[in-house]
Amino acid sequence: MGGQPETKTGDNKDVDNVSTVSAGGDGGGVKMKKELALIDGVAIIVGVIIGSGIFVSPKGVLRYSGSVGQAIIVWIMSGILSMVGALCYAELGTMIPKSGGDYAYVLEAFGPLPAFLYLWVALFVLVPTGNAITAITFAQYILQPLWPTCAPPYEAVRLIAAFTVCLLTIINCYNVKWVTRVQDSFTATKIFALGIIVVAGFWYLFSGHTEHFQEPMAETNTNPGSIALAFYSGLFSYSGWNYLNYVTEELKDPYRNLPRAICISMPIVTITYVVTNIAYFVVLSREDLLASNAVAVTFGDKMLGGFSFVIPIFVACSTFGSLNGAIFASSRLFFVGARQGHLPRAIALIDVKRFTPVPSLVFMCLITLFLTVIEDVYVLINCVSFVEALFIMLSVAGLVYLRYTQPDLQRPIKVNLALPIAFFIICTLLVTCPFFENPTEVTIGLIFVLCGIPVYYLTIAWTNKPLWLRKAFNSFNDGCAKLFVCMPEDGHLE
């Protein structure tokens, strides 16, 4: 898996000549540029977080919470928990200023095996599943006006989702500036869309419609496992707060802009989510919300009359922008993992003209396309949330561990130790409680994590690999270099 390309690359002139290319014009080799300013960082965090979650997860949060009041509490607490986690990651990101996010932090704190296991589940579960859910949600909302009285056909939704994933992958392959322009534009669009929902909902509230809040805690579910699953759905909507840590090496002045972007973005998202859910609950009854597959569309049909068609369009724009940011940030995670030798070296190659990690983007696109065929979105959310909480818990444990093992590391941001400890305890509860409520999905996620252990020892830790296996790795890496006209970051093929 981590095999090195052979010295000779054949007669392909494009590949042979790329060693003279330099991103910076100084002959220093091909590398990705620092093109992300503070506003781009804020747009990435807000744009990735506010995507499909706010339009899918309200149903899941309410289903497991049982009552409107507890659902709102879960939304608030999920935002606070995400903010605490983001502050911890601000310390990690400025202490270990490398792209790759959790992978880089787990690698620094606990070594290669745990880091590889994170990369393993991120490559095959976390990232492509999140992207598939977002793409499917985009397709459902963009097609909803054509099937106003029923759900759009499964085949149509999946085809649109697959096309969207491919389109955004092409944009990410072509130009980083295009990516940031798309991200900035669609972030503004989604804030405007949620603003329409909030204004309409609060107008309805101030008109005297408070019937859905007469007994806000009625039917509250107090089962710890159900509460944990409600948090899973809520935290799924906040997922993405750590995505800027994936692209630290492309962020201008990361020591200042990383924590600033986090501190600006998280309050915006939390306030937006809470007031949007209040608007939903004001207009829609508990039964209406649980029966809806497109909460925002149901809301628009009731409140906007003839203008309700704008809601699916705005929601589609929101999920489109979220998917764009997720593809951009997560491709850097796999790029860094491959650069470290934990994935095929081909994934660490950079396009010699556009300085983008094309192979990483393409491989991620292929896995995402495979996962778009799954029908039950909530099964995916529960599996993904468990695995994500597990490794976020490990990353924060690494922060505490490094405080004691490497106290002299430069820490431009240093949070109070109580924050990572409290965050670790809560993540531990979120990891363990669902075992009692939903053991099948949690066990599947855990088994997949453990399956990475033999893969690690067979493909990475095994130093005396058979000649045929080394040749297979080298042929694959060389073939990708020629196919995509790419080369390693250090400026030459090894």
mmCIF file of all heavy atoms in Angstrom, residues 84-121:
data_model
loop_
_atom_site.group_PDB
_atom_site.id
_atom_site.type_symbol
_atom_site.label_atom_id
_atom_site.label_comp_id
_atom_site.label_asym_id
_atom_site.label_seq_id
_atom_site.Cartn_x
_atom_site.Cartn_y
_atom_site.Cartn_z
ATOM 1 N N VAL A 84 -16.448 23.401 21.818
ATOM 2 C CA VAL A 84 -15.358 22.953 22.689
ATOM 3 C C VAL A 84 -14.364 22.106 21.898
ATOM 4 O O VAL A 84 -13.136 22.275 22.014
ATOM 5 C CB VAL A 84 -15.913 22.158 23.887
ATOM 6 C CG1 VAL A 84 -14.785 21.528 24.695
ATOM 7 C CG2 VAL A 84 -16.751 23.053 24.786
ATOM 8 N N GLY A 85 -14.890 21.191 21.089
ATOM 9 C CA GLY A 85 -14.015 20.373 20.255
ATOM 10 C C GLY A 85 -13.207 21.212 19.288
ATOM 11 O O GLY A 85 -12.011 20.965 19.082
ATOM 12 N N ALA A 86 -13.847 22.224 18.704
ATOM 13 C CA ALA A 86 -13.146 23.089 17.749
ATOM 14 C C ALA A 86 -12.022 23.867 18.426
ATOM 15 O O ALA A 86 -10.944 24.062 17.835
ATOM 16 C CB ALA A 86 -14.141 24.054 17.100
ATOM 17 N N LEU A 87 -12.234 24.314 19.679
ATOM 18 C CA LEU A 87 -11.174 25.018 20.409
ATOM 19 C C LEU A 87 -10.003 24.078 20.696
ATOM 20 O O LEU A 87 -8.831 24.479 20.598
ATOM 21 C CB LEU A 87 -11.736 25.590 21.711
ATOM 22 C CG LEU A 87 -12.714 26.760 21.565
ATOM 23 C CD1 LEU A 87 -13.306 27.140 22.917
ATOM 24 C CD2 LEU A 87 -12.019 27.967 20.937
ATOM 25 N N CYS A 88 -10.316 22.833 21.049
ATOM 26 C CA CYS A 88 -9.247 21.847 21.246
ATOM 27 C C CYS A 88 -8.463 21.639 19.957
ATOM 28 O O CYS A 88 -7.230 21.537 19.962
ATOM 29 C CB CYS A 88 -9.828 20.524 21.728
ATOM 30 S SG CYS A 88 -10.604 20.581 23.359
ATOM 31 N N TYR A 89 -9.170 21.615 18.843
ATOM 32 C CA TYR A 89 -8.507 21.417 17.554
ATOM 33 C C TYR A 89 -7.733 22.650 17.125
ATOM 34 O O TYR A 89 -6.795 22.546 16.329
ATOM 35 C CB TYR A 89 -9.536 21.029 16.488
ATOM 36 C CG TYR A 89 -9.789 19.541 16.420
ATOM 37 C CD1 TYR A 89 -10.272 18.850 17.523
ATOM 38 C CD2 TYR A 89 -9.533 18.807 15.270
ATOM 39 C CE1 TYR A 89 -10.500 17.497 17.484
ATOM 40 C CE2 TYR A 89 -9.756 17.447 15.210
ATOM 41 C CZ TYR A 89 -10.240 16.796 16.330
ATOM 42 O OH TYR A 89 -10.466 15.441 16.286
ATOM 43 N N ALA A 90 -8.120 23.821 17.632
ATOM 44 C CA ALA A 90 -7.323 25.019 17.371
ATOM 45 C C ALA A 90 -5.943 24.874 17.989
ATOM 46 O O ALA A 90 -4.931 25.253 17.389
ATOM 47 C CB ALA A 90 -8.035 26.257 17.916
ATOM 48 N N GLU A 91 -5.891 24.327 19.222
ATOM 49 C CA GLU A 91 -4.590 24.071 19.835
ATOM 50 C C GLU A 91 -3.814 23.024 19.044
ATOM 51 O O GLU A 91 -2.622 23.191 18.767
ATOM 52 C CB GLU A 91 -4.748 23.610 21.282
ATOM 53 C CG GLU A 91 -3.410 23.229 21.921
ATOM 54 C CD GLU A 91 -3.503 22.891 23.394
ATOM 55 O OE1 GLU A 91 -4.401 23.412 24.071
ATOM 56 O OE2 GLU A 91 -2.649 22.116 23.870
ATOM 57 N N LEU A 92 -4.493 21.923 18.682
ATOM 58 C CA LEU A 92 -3.817 20.865 17.926
ATOM 59 C C LEU A 92 -3.311 21.382 16.585
ATOM 60 O O LEU A 92 -2.199 21.073 16.164
ATOM 61 C CB LEU A 92 -4.778 19.694 17.705
ATOM 62 C CG LEU A 92 -5.059 18.799 18.918
ATOM 63 C CD1 LEU A 92 -6.266 17.903 18.653
ATOM 64 C CD2 LEU A 92 -3.839 17.950 19.248
ATOM 65 N N GLY A 93 -4.143 22.169 15.901
ATOM 66 C CA GLY A 93 -3.780 22.644 14.567
ATOM 67 C C GLY A 93 -2.629 23.630 14.562
ATOM 68 O O GLY A 93 -1.866 23.689 13.593
ATOM 69 N N THR A 94 -2.500 24.429 15.625
ATOM 70 C CA THR A 94 -1.381 25.372 15.693
ATOM 71 C C THR A 94 -0.145 24.735 16.320
ATOM 72 O O THR A 94 0.976 25.191 16.091
ATOM 73 C CB THR A 94 -1.787 26.624 16.496
ATOM 74 O OG1 THR A 94 -2.322 26.224 17.768
ATOM 75 C CG2 THR A 94 -2.827 27.429 15.747
ATOM 76 N N MET A 95 -0.348 23.678 17.112
ATOM 77 C CA MET A 95 0.772 22.950 17.695
ATOM 78 C C MET A 95 1.397 22.004 16.660
ATOM 79 O O MET A 95 2.614 21.833 16.616
ATOM 80 C CB MET A 95 0.291 22.146 18.914
ATOM 81 C CG MET A 95 1.366 21.287 19.582
ATOM 82 S SD MET A 95 0.746 20.482 21.081
ATOM 83 C CE MET A 95 -0.554 19.434 20.401
ATOM 84 N N ILE A 96 0.548 21.390 15.829
ATOM 85 C CA ILE A 96 0.999 20.484 14.760
ATOM 86 C C ILE A 96 0.481 21.056 13.447
ATOM 87 O O ILE A 96 -0.564 20.635 12.943
ATOM 88 C CB ILE A 96 0.464 19.057 14.991
ATOM 89 C CG1 ILE A 96 0.805 18.582 16.407
ATOM 90 C CG2 ILE A 96 1.023 18.094 13.956
ATOM 91 C CD1 ILE A 96 0.119 17.298 16.806
ATOM 92 N N PRO A 97 1.164 22.059 12.874
ATOM 93 C CA PRO A 97 0.633 22.779 11.711
ATOM 94 C C PRO A 97 0.776 21.991 10.405
ATOM 95 O O PRO A 97 1.425 22.433 9.456
ATOM 96 C CB PRO A 97 1.469 24.061 11.696
ATOM 97 C CG PRO A 97 2.776 23.658 12.276
ATOM 98 C CD PRO A 97 2.463 22.609 13.316
ATOM 99 N N LYS A 98 0.191 20.818 10.370
ATOM 100 C CA LYS A 98 0.230 19.975 9.183
ATOM 101 C C LYS A 98 -1.190 19.730 8.711
ATOM 102 O O LYS A 98 -2.120 19.652 9.517
ATOM 103 C CB LYS A 98 0.896 18.627 9.496
ATOM 104 C CG LYS A 98 2.330 18.714 9.980
ATOM 105 C CD LYS A 98 2.852 17.325 10.340
ATOM 106 C CE LYS A 98 4.276 17.400 10.882
ATOM 107 N NZ LYS A 98 4.776 16.052 11.292
ATOM 108 N N SER A 99 -1.360 19.599 7.394
ATOM 109 C CA SER A 99 -2.646 19.187 6.867
ATOM 110 C C SER A 99 -2.918 17.746 7.291
ATOM 111 O O SER A 99 -2.016 17.001 7.657
ATOM 112 C CB SER A 99 -2.658 19.305 5.336
ATOM 113 O OG SER A 99 -2.572 20.655 4.928
ATOM 114 N N GLY A 100 -4.192 17.362 7.221
ATOM 115 C CA GLY A 100 -4.551 15.991 7.562
ATOM 116 C C GLY A 100 -5.410 15.867 8.795
ATOM 117 O O GLY A 100 -5.965 14.805 9.070
ATOM 118 N N GLY A 101 -5.548 16.952 9.594
ATOM 119 C CA GLY A 101 -6.443 16.933 10.734
ATOM 120 C C GLY A 101 -6.155 15.819 11.717
ATOM 121 O O GLY A 101 -5.023 15.646 12.174
ATOM 122 N N ASP A 102 -7.191 15.032 12.042
ATOM 123 C CA ASP A 102 -7.075 13.981 13.055
ATOM 124 C C ASP A 102 -5.943 13.008 12.761
ATOM 125 O O ASP A 102 -5.276 12.530 13.684
ATOM 126 C CB ASP A 102 -8.392 13.192 13.136
ATOM 127 C CG ASP A 102 -9.540 14.059 13.590
ATOM 128 O OD1 ASP A 102 -10.125 14.734 12.728
ATOM 129 O OD2 ASP A 102 -9.839 14.071 14.784
ATOM 130 N N TYR A 103 -5.734 12.713 11.491
ATOM 131 C CA TYR A 103 -4.669 11.778 11.125
ATOM 132 C C TYR A 103 -3.311 12.280 11.621
ATOM 133 O O TYR A 103 -2.539 11.530 12.233
ATOM 134 C CB TYR A 103 -4.642 11.580 9.612
ATOM 135 C CG TYR A 103 -3.429 10.834 9.126
ATOM 136 C CD1 TYR A 103 -3.327 9.455 9.272
ATOM 137 C CD2 TYR A 103 -2.364 11.510 8.530
ATOM 138 C CE1 TYR A 103 -2.208 8.768 8.840
ATOM 139 C CE2 TYR A 103 -1.239 10.833 8.102
ATOM 140 C CZ TYR A 103 -1.171 9.461 8.256
ATOM 141 O OH TYR A 103 -0.054 8.782 7.842
ATOM 142 N N ALA A 104 -3.023 13.551 11.360
ATOM 143 C CA ALA A 104 -1.730 14.113 11.762
ATOM 144 C C ALA A 104 -1.588 14.134 13.288
ATOM 145 O O ALA A 104 -0.507 13.863 13.822
ATOM 146 C CB ALA A 104 -1.577 15.528 11.196
ATOM 147 N N TYR A 105 -2.680 14.408 14.003
ATOM 148 C CA TYR A 105 -2.610 14.520 15.458
ATOM 149 C C TYR A 105 -2.467 13.145 16.113
ATOM 150 O O TYR A 105 -1.674 12.974 17.052
ATOM 151 C CB TYR A 105 -3.854 15.229 15.986
ATOM 152 C CG TYR A 105 -4.182 16.501 15.242
ATOM 153 C CD1 TYR A 105 -5.500 16.893 15.023
ATOM 154 C CD2 TYR A 105 -3.173 17.307 14.721
ATOM 155 C CE1 TYR A 105 -5.801 18.051 14.331
ATOM 156 C CE2 TYR A 105 -3.463 18.467 14.018
ATOM 157 C CZ TYR A 105 -4.780 18.840 13.817
ATOM 158 O OH TYR A 105 -5.079 19.972 13.114
ATOM 159 N N VAL A 106 -3.222 12.161 15.633
ATOM 160 C CA VAL A 106 -3.116 10.804 16.175
ATOM 161 C C VAL A 106 -1.738 10.226 15.872
ATOM 162 O O VAL A 106 -1.133 9.545 16.706
ATOM 163 C CB VAL A 106 -4.234 9.904 15.598
ATOM 164 C CG1 VAL A 106 -4.035 8.452 16.021
ATOM 165 C CG2 VAL A 106 -5.600 10.395 16.065
ATOM 166 N N LEU A 107 -1.210 10.519 14.687
ATOM 167 C CA LEU A 107 0.119 10.042 14.317
ATOM 168 C C LEU A 107 1.180 10.615 15.249
ATOM 169 O O LEU A 107 2.073 9.888 15.719
ATOM 170 C CB LEU A 107 0.426 10.428 12.868
ATOM 171 C CG LEU A 107 1.796 10.018 12.327
ATOM 172 C CD1 LEU A 107 1.927 8.501 12.262
ATOM 173 C CD2 LEU A 107 2.036 10.635 10.947
ATOM 174 N N GLU A 108 1.089 11.896 15.532
ATOM 175 C CA GLU A 108 2.067 12.548 16.406
ATOM 176 C C GLU A 108 1.980 12.020 17.844
ATOM 177 O O GLU A 108 3.006 11.818 18.501
ATOM 178 C CB GLU A 108 1.824 14.066 16.402
ATOM 179 C CG GLU A 108 2.788 14.870 17.255
ATOM 180 C CD GLU A 108 4.168 15.000 16.645
ATOM 181 O OE1 GLU A 108 4.292 14.845 15.412
ATOM 182 O OE2 GLU A 108 5.123 15.243 17.407
ATOM 183 N N ALA A 109 0.759 11.771 18.312
ATOM 184 C CA ALA A 109 0.581 11.393 19.716
ATOM 185 C C ALA A 109 0.753 9.899 19.953
ATOM 186 O O ALA A 109 1.394 9.491 20.928
ATOM 187 C CB ALA A 109 -0.796 11.838 20.210
ATOM 188 N N PHE A 110 0.203 9.063 19.078
ATOM 189 C CA PHE A 110 0.120 7.629 19.367
ATOM 190 C C PHE A 110 0.809 6.731 18.347
ATOM 191 O O PHE A 110 0.810 5.510 18.513
ATOM 192 C CB PHE A 110 -1.349 7.213 19.496
ATOM 193 C CG PHE A 110 -2.092 7.967 20.558
ATOM 194 C CD1 PHE A 110 -3.151 8.796 20.229
ATOM 195 C CD2 PHE A 110 -1.728 7.863 21.894
ATOM 196 C CE1 PHE A 110 -3.843 9.487 21.202
ATOM 197 C CE2 PHE A 110 -2.404 8.559 22.875
ATOM 198 C CZ PHE A 110 -3.467 9.378 22.528
ATOM 199 N N GLY A 111 1.366 7.302 17.297
ATOM 200 C CA GLY A 111 2.120 6.481 16.359
ATOM 201 C C GLY A 111 1.348 6.031 15.134
ATOM 202 O O GLY A 111 0.188 6.396 14.938
ATOM 203 N N PRO A 112 1.994 5.209 14.296
ATOM 204 C CA PRO A 112 1.446 4.908 12.972
ATOM 205 C C PRO A 112 0.204 4.032 12.942
ATOM 206 O O PRO A 112 -0.673 4.250 12.107
ATOM 207 C CB PRO A 112 2.619 4.223 12.256
ATOM 208 C CG PRO A 112 3.504 3.704 13.340
ATOM 209 C CD PRO A 112 3.349 4.664 14.473
ATOM 210 N N LEU A 113 0.091 3.029 13.809
ATOM 211 C CA LEU A 113 -1.056 2.118 13.718
ATOM 212 C C LEU A 113 -2.382 2.823 13.987
ATOM 213 O O LEU A 113 -3.313 2.724 13.166
ATOM 214 C CB LEU A 113 -0.872 0.920 14.651
ATOM 215 C CG LEU A 113 -2.063 -0.077 14.681
ATOM 216 C CD1 LEU A 113 -2.376 -0.600 13.293
ATOM 217 C CD2 LEU A 113 -1.782 -1.223 15.651
ATOM 218 N N PRO A 114 -2.555 3.536 15.116
ATOM 219 C CA PRO A 114 -3.823 4.249 15.308
ATOM 220 C C PRO A 114 -4.101 5.270 14.210
ATOM 221 O O PRO A 114 -5.248 5.447 13.790
ATOM 222 C CB PRO A 114 -3.639 4.940 16.666
ATOM 223 C CG PRO A 114 -2.594 4.137 17.361
ATOM 224 C CD PRO A 114 -1.665 3.677 16.279
ATOM 225 N N ALA A 115 -3.032 5.950 13.720
ATOM 226 C CA ALA A 115 -3.219 6.922 12.642
ATOM 227 C C ALA A 115 -3.706 6.231 11.372
ATOM 228 O O ALA A 115 -4.591 6.739 10.669
ATOM 229 C CB ALA A 115 -1.908 7.665 12.375
ATOM 230 N N PHE A 116 -3.132 5.079 11.064
ATOM 231 C CA PHE A 116 -3.581 4.340 9.889
ATOM 232 C C PHE A 116 -5.028 3.896 10.026
ATOM 233 O O PHE A 116 -5.795 3.943 9.054
ATOM 234 C CB PHE A 116 -2.697 3.116 9.646
ATOM 235 C CG PHE A 116 -3.229 2.224 8.552
ATOM 236 C CD1 PHE A 116 -3.002 2.535 7.221
ATOM 237 C CD2 PHE A 116 -3.967 1.092 8.857
ATOM 238 C CE1 PHE A 116 -3.509 1.731 6.209
ATOM 239 C CE2 PHE A 116 -4.472 0.282 7.858
ATOM 240 C CZ PHE A 116 -4.243 0.599 6.533
ATOM 241 N N LEU A 117 -5.419 3.459 11.223
ATOM 242 C CA LEU A 117 -6.804 3.020 11.425
ATOM 243 C C LEU A 117 -7.773 4.169 11.180
ATOM 244 O O LEU A 117 -8.858 3.977 10.612
ATOM 245 C CB LEU A 117 -6.988 2.455 12.832
ATOM 246 C CG LEU A 117 -6.264 1.135 13.125
ATOM 247 C CD1 LEU A 117 -6.496 0.705 14.569
ATOM 248 C CD2 LEU A 117 -6.719 0.046 12.163
ATOM 249 N N TYR A 118 -7.390 5.377 11.608
ATOM 250 C CA TYR A 118 -8.236 6.532 11.294
ATOM 251 C C TYR A 118 -8.310 6.742 9.787
ATOM 252 O O TYR A 118 -9.392 6.979 9.228
ATOM 253 C CB TYR A 118 -7.713 7.798 11.968
ATOM 254 C CG TYR A 118 -8.484 9.018 11.522
ATOM 255 C CD1 TYR A 118 -9.764 9.261 12.020
ATOM 256 C CD2 TYR A 118 -7.959 9.891 10.578
ATOM 257 C CE1 TYR A 118 -10.493 10.348 11.589
ATOM 258 C CE2 TYR A 118 -8.690 10.991 10.146
ATOM 259 C CZ TYR A 118 -9.955 11.209 10.655
ATOM 260 O OH TYR A 118 -10.681 12.286 10.214
ATOM 261 N N LEU A 119 -7.156 6.687 9.137
ATOM 262 C CA LEU A 119 -7.126 6.875 7.693
ATOM 263 C C LEU A 119 -7.950 5.803 6.988
ATOM 264 O O LEU A 119 -8.669 6.078 6.017
ATOM 265 C CB LEU A 119 -5.669 6.815 7.214
ATOM 266 C CG LEU A 119 -5.339 7.451 5.867
ATOM 267 C CD1 LEU A 119 -5.588 8.946 5.908
ATOM 268 C CD2 LEU A 119 -3.881 7.169 5.516
ATOM 269 N N TRP A 120 -7.869 4.584 7.491
ATOM 270 C CA TRP A 120 -8.599 3.446 6.930
ATOM 271 C C TRP A 120 -10.114 3.690 6.951
ATOM 272 O O TRP A 120 -10.794 3.560 5.933
ATOM 273 C CB TRP A 120 -8.219 2.200 7.728
ATOM 274 C CG TRP A 120 -9.088 0.999 7.580
ATOM 275 C CD1 TRP A 120 -10.021 0.558 8.465
ATOM 276 C CD2 TRP A 120 -9.076 0.041 6.505
ATOM 277 N NE1 TRP A 120 -10.601 -0.596 8.021
ATOM 278 C CE2 TRP A 120 -10.040 -0.939 6.814
ATOM 279 C CE3 TRP A 120 -8.345 -0.070 5.332
ATOM 280 C CZ2 TRP A 120 -10.305 -2.014 5.984
ATOM 281 C CZ3 TRP A 120 -8.607 -1.154 4.494
ATOM 282 C CH2 TRP A 120 -9.564 -2.107 4.815
ATOM 283 N N VAL A 121 -10.643 4.069 8.119
ATOM 284 C CA VAL A 121 -12.086 4.282 8.212
ATOM 285 C C VAL A 121 -12.497 5.587 7.539
ATOM 286 O O VAL A 121 -13.612 5.696 7.010
ATOM 287 C CB VAL A 121 -12.568 4.256 9.674
ATOM 288 C CG1 VAL A 121 -12.365 2.887 10.271
ATOM 289 C CG2 VAL A 121 -11.874 5.301 10.522
#
